[in-house]
């Protein structure tokens, strides 16, 4: 099974900036879930709709 780090070493299609964005958004999802916050709750705190947040997370 490949890890995220293994995939990053072999990727050629994404720029470093794109990888940074993916890592940042992944961290956001992990922290939201660890804290038991729903998408709707976080979206409200951020001033966006739940569907907008869901698109970002996906």
């Amino acid at each position: 099974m490949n890890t995220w780090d293994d995939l990053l070493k072999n990727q050629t299609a994404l720029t470093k900036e794109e990888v940074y964005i993916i890592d940042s958004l992944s961290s956001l999802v992990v922290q939201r879930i660890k804290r038991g916050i729903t998408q709707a709750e976080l979206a409200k705190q951020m001033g966006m709709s739940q569907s907008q947040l869901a698109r970002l997370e996906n």
Side-chain angles (χ1 to χ4, degrees):
M1 178 175 179
N2 288 332
T3 65
W4 179 242
D5 289 333
D6 293 334
L7 294 171
L8 288 177
K9 290 176 191 172
N10 296 318
Q11 69 84 22
T12 57
L14 298 174
T15 66
K16 288 182 181 185
E17 291 81 13
E18 290 168 325
V19 171
Y20 177 78
I21 291 168
I22 292 168
D23 283 341
S24 298
L25 290 172
S26 296
S27 295
L28 174 71
V29 174
V30 168
Q31 289 302 314
R32 179 183 65 73
I33 292 169
K34 278 185 176 181
R35 294 172 189 216
I37 300 171
T38 66
Q39 282 183 340
E41 292 168 331
L42 182 58
K44 183 176 180 181
Q45 292 174 14
M46 295 173 68
M48 62 174 41
S49 69
Q50 180 274 329
S51 63
Q52 289 173 312
L53 180 57
R55 280 184 289 226
L56 284 174
E57 289 188 358
N58 286 324

